[in-house]
Amino acid sequence: MLSEIPTVRPSTPLLDAVDQRMSTLRDLSKDQLLVLCEELRAYLLYSVGQTGGHFGAGMGVVELTVALHHIYNTPFDRIVWDVGHQTYPHKILTGRMNQMHTMRQAGGLSGFPKRSESEYDTFGVGHSSTSISAAMGMALAARQQGIDRKVIAVIGDGAMTGGMAFEALAHAGHERPNMLVILNDNQMSIGHNKGGLATYFAKIWASKTYIAMREGSKRVLEKIKPAWELAKRTEEHMKGMVAPGTLFEELGFNYIGPLDGHDLPGLINTLQNMKDLEGPQLLHIRTMKGKGFAPAEADPVGYHAMNKIEAKPVEKESSGPTSTPLAAKPKSPPKYQDVFGQWICDMAEQDERLVAITPAMCEGSGLVEFARRFPDRYYDVAIAEQHALTLAAGLACEGLKPVVAIYSTFLQRGYDQLIHDIALQNLDVTFAIDRAGLVGQDGPTHHGAFDLSYMRCI
């Protein structure tokens, strides 16, 4: 367990070998893979300390990232990451280790997967809830082209709150492509499983014996429809009693989980067993954001990302009363979201009709204090920008004064609702649009460069 950011490059012999030749990763023993995970965590912390950036989510998927690249023949097999905050370990393992010092800088590595950057980055992301749709497209293309390719979508429990993810799940249940969806539940959104019994059954459901029995019984019972339906319902209800997988089973996925996402040997065994299964599969793993770094484990929200670690100034030894003390740092001006946060609290005190809405950006939009002081007038709708806007429209219809706090880049996702549900009906909705213009290190997926154009025409 690390308790501080390394300021000197850690020794990483196994990681260095993988950086030189990706196939090395597939030849490592399970014991060596465990050491590799330790080296990867240490190097991730060191590199983010040099550049700043997202690292909490990446620390949580170290074992998963290592297991995926160990089991699957990447980049021929496709791994599609959702959002991209968790892909720093993926970048380190796929030939970009020595470029990590350029992360989120002009001409350097992108803070998110980027197709033009590496063949291992199969889909460019930045906005959430897109991975299942993209991976399904790749899986259907492989089926149409007759290519035996494995396709995996990795999506977090936060991104799973986006409606687009459920649209893709429903369609996949109908088309039944050969694909694996890995739900990375870092316990920030989805509820906990129901104890050790769930983990025990998850291991059974992912075992080769159970899978062989299930597939064999399916071939026999499909010829007797009533018997097959009864067997299928019995299995779903049994899973539903001990694990939160009934919804996915109803959508047509074979659900396995929840499993410990930091149990590397268990992950490898499960992925190996699921690798050649037909149809849509869903593996539910539980991870800890910031795993392996004590401060981030204690405060996963605060350590979602961080600024680079500045070298501490060296104080000169005192030479008596003539020595000059170090100058105090000038006080930073307030950020936009801080000013907005104070404004909306002031306005809420004056007008009880005011309500605040955010699509999962409470901290970033400066609504923490409002949520604390006015909990009955605060709505966090999760990653559902379209719903956020139409919810605001409904509130405005009844005389309330909704304020939608949203980043410029995410307002793009609710554009139809902005036009059709709010503007055409001339409804009184206020938008607090943050991160305007070029936002710098997060790159083009997060630039607020289009809002003047797409809003002035309405």
Side-chain angles (χ1 to χ4, degrees):
M1 174 75 71
L2 296 163
S3 58
E4 59 182 31
I5 309 291
T7 55
V8 177
R9 189 195 188 286
S11 174
T12 56
L14 277 177
L15 191 57
D16 295 341
V18 170
D19 183 57
Q20 294 300 314
R21 191 170 63 95
M22 179 61 176
S23 59
T24 302
L25 177 56
R26 300 188 181 105
D27 297 332
L28 297 179
S29 67
K30 288 183 180 178
D31 287 341
Q32 289 175 312
L33 290 171
L34 289 170
V35 175
L36 178 66
C37 288
E38 293 178 6
E39 293 184 3
L40 182 53
R41 272 203 173 86
Y43 187 81
L44 173 60
L45 270 178
Y46 163 74
S47 62
V48 176
Q50 303 299 302
T51 62
H54 298 99
F55 82 105
M59 293 286 281
V61 295
V62 164
E63 287 82 6
L64 174 63
T65 307
V66 167
L68 286 172
H69 284 294
H70 177 71
I71 294 294
Y72 291 94
N73 181 28
T74 55
F76 175 79
D77 291 335
R78 311 298 198 209
I79 302 175
V80 182
W81 299 90
D82 212 287
V83 183
H85 293 156
Q86 72 272 47
T87 54
Y88 289 21
H90 160 80
K91 291 187 181 234
I92 293 171
L93 289 175
T94 53
R96 288 166 279 183
M97 179 180 178
N98 293 322
Q99 295 172 272
M100 291 298 289
H101 68 282
T102 69
M103 178 68 71
R104 304 168 78 234
Q105 299 173 26
L109 295 181
S110 168
F112 303 93
K114 188 175 181 180
R115 281 170 56 84
S116 61
E117 185 177 291
S118 170
E119 61 182 340
Y120 289 92
D121 290 0
T122 60
F123 195 74
V125 295
H127 293 181
S128 78
S129 314
T130 61
S131 60
I132 303 175
S133 297
M136 182 180 173
M138 296 174 188
L140 290 174
R143 183 167 75 184
Q144 184 170 325
Q145 295 163 352
I147 300 173
D148 184 18
R149 168 176 287 139
K150 312 302 179 187
V151 182
I152 306 98
V154 182
I155 184 167
D157 55 333
M160 190 64 90
T161 64
M164 184 177 177
F166 283 92
E167 292 174 11
L169 287 170
H171 190 206
H174 172 72
E175 292 289 346
R176 303 202 60 75
N178 294 332
M179 64 181 291
L180 170 63
V181 174
I182 298 178
L183 171 56
N184 173 30
D185 177 3
N186 58 28
Q187 304 168 60
M188 300 294 283
S189 293
I190 292 178
H192 300 289
N193 66 299
K194 299 178 181 67
L197 193 60
T199 301
Y200 172 72
F201 275 113
K203 291 179 179 178
I204 292 177
W205 296 328
S207 68
K208 290 183 177 179
T209 303
Y210 178 83
I211 290 170
M213 289 175 60
R214 184 181 190 273
E215 295 303 308
S217 301
K218 179 179 176 182
R219 285 191 292 272
V220 173
L221 293 177
E222 274 186 329
K223 298 175 182 177
I224 313 169
K225 286 295 181 184
W228 167 239
E229 288 299 325
L230 176 62
K232 182 181 176 184
R233 292 290 177 187
T234 301
E235 180 189 46
E236 288 176 1
H237 292 157
M238 183 183 72
K239 288 183 175 181
M241 286 189 292
V242 295
T246 305
L247 170 64
F248 303 113
E249 294 277 351
E250 292 291 344
L251 287 171
F253 279 73
N254 176 40
Y255 172 89
I256 302 293
L259 295 176
D260 180 358
H262 301 299
D263 174 11
L264 182 64
L267 271 179
I268 289 173
N269 291 339
T270 300
L271 288 170
Q272 192 67 62
N273 291 342
M274 298 181 74
K275 185 178 179 182
D276 296 316
L277 294 182
E278 299 285 323
Q281 312 292 321
L282 191 137
L283 174 62
H284 180 179
I285 66 170
R286 290 173 51 216
T287 61
M288 176 181 287
K289 222 173 176 184
K291 176 70 174 178
F293 182 52
E297 289 186 11
D299 182 14
V301 173
Y303 279 88
H304 171 68
M306 68 178 186
N307 296 323
K308 66 179 180 180
I309 306 300
E310 301 288 352
K312 294 180 180 178
V314 179
E315 295 189 36
K316 294 181 179 179
E317 290 185 13
S318 174
S319 58
T322 57
S323 62
T324 305
L326 290 171
K329 279 190 174 182
K331 187 177 180 181
S332 299
K335 296 179 180 178
Y336 171 89
Q337 62 263 36
D338 299 330
V339 176
F340 164 70
Q342 184 61 57
W343 171 86
I344 195 170
C345 287
D346 292 345
M347 293 300 294
E349 287 180 343
Q350 299 175 41
D351 192 341
E352 63 182 15
R353 296 173 299 169
L354 187 147
V355 295
I357 300 169
T358 178
M361 295 303 293
C362 179
E363 292 82 7
S365 292
L367 286 173
V368 173
E369 182 65 12
F370 183 95
R372 185 187 69 81
R373 290 173 56 185
F374 306 99
D376 295 337
R377 294 154 65 183
Y378 168 75
Y379 301 98
D380 185 337
V381 302
I383 301 174
E385 292 85 359
Q386 295 176 341
H387 169 62
L389 269 64
T390 303
L391 173 67
L395 290 165
C397 284
E398 302 306 321
L400 296 186
K401 300 287 186 180
V403 177
V404 180
I406 191 167
Y407 287 13
S408 172
T409 183
F410 298 137
L411 181 55
Q412 294 163 190
R413 307 188 80 180
Y415 192 53
D416 180 59
Q417 289 69 29
L418 178 67
I419 296 173
H420 189 276
D421 297 342
I422 295 173
L424 282 180
Q425 301 190 87
N426 198 30
L427 292 172
D428 185 358
V429 176
T430 299
F431 289 91
I433 305 172
D434 200 354
R435 269 61 168 190
L438 301 180
V439 297
Q441 295 174 329
D442 276 342
T445 59
H446 282 59
H447 287 336
F450 306 110
D451 50 19
L452 288 177
S453 300
Y454 73 69
M455 295 185 74
R456 286 182 67 188
C457 64
I458 303 173

